Amino acid sequence: SGQKVCYGDPKRSCYKLAYFQDLSRRVGFQEARQACEIDGGALLSLESEAEQQLIENMLQNLTKSGSGISDGDFWIGLWRSGDGLATSSACPDLYQWADGSISPFRNWYTDEPSCGSEACVVMYHQPTANPGLGGPYLYQWNDDRCNMKH
């Protein structure tokens, strides 16, 4: 199915990673959010460096499983609501977690968020990409257009 259910911790009962090599099965932010809600969950909100590291380890294990995972970013539950384009210096402070959590933890890639028309957030997973100014495009966050397929 392209999905793997992983262990949780006492605070969260489960983490579920969904990765589809078949590009036609990848979805936009709202579709991903709805899929999580249908399963009784929510898109991931990350509350600490330790939780970020846990997710990175899960993604590394998924990659090592021999499933042939290649480039493909993962939606997380961070997004910026509001109409129009956000271009002010306050833009980074406008992002909020879809599940209502208030964690201030952020793991933006260098020069992100770029704001403008990009209001939904992915965790980079591009192991074959050449590193940029912020290093490899692995596990840091990037704002993207909400209709992109991840």
Side-chain angles (χ1 to χ4, degrees), residues 2-149:
Q3 300 183 1
K4 180 174 182 146
V5 177
C6 299
Y7 64 91
D9 63 25
K11 193 172 170 187
R12 298 181 192 241
S13 59
C14 175
Y15 291 95
K16 182 176 183 178
L17 304 177
Y19 177 82
F20 303 103
Q21 271 192 301
D22 180 355
L23 298 181
S24 70
R25 296 193 62 198
R26 295 183 184 184
V27 297
F29 181 83
Q30 291 300 343
E31 293 166 288
R33 186 176 179 181
Q34 289 169 351
C36 291
E37 290 171 357
I38 287 169
D39 280 351
L43 277 174
L44 179 64
S45 60
L46 290 136
E47 298 184 359
S48 67
E49 180 66 38
E51 188 173 24
Q52 171 77 28
Q53 188 61 54
L54 175 68
I55 299 303
E56 289 179 22
N57 290 342
M58 287 182 187
L59 290 172
Q60 289 166 2
N61 289 338
L62 188 64
T63 303
K64 289 178 191 170
S65 69
S67 60
I69 287 185
S70 56
D71 291 354
D73 299 334
F74 291 85
W75 288 118
I76 62 173
L78 193 64
W79 70 300
R80 177 174 42 83
S81 63
D83 298 324
L85 304 180
T87 55
S88 74
S89 60
C91 174
D93 297 328
L94 300 176
Y95 284 84
Q96 59 191 353
W97 294 107
D99 67 359
S101 65
I102 57 171
S103 169
F105 176 74
R106 300 293 186 266
N107 190 40
W108 295 113
Y109 190 79
T110 301
D111 295 333
E112 298 296 343
S114 52
C115 299
S117 62
E118 299 178 337
C120 296
V121 180
V122 295
M123 182 181 290
Y124 274 139
H125 187 266
Q126 299 176 21
T128 67
N130 289 326
L133 292 176
Y137 294 96
L138 285 172
Y139 315 122
Q140 308 93 339
W141 306 352
N142 172 48
D143 57 335
D144 203 351
R145 294 189 320 274
C146 298
N147 63 350
M148 294 297 290
K149 306 290 186 190

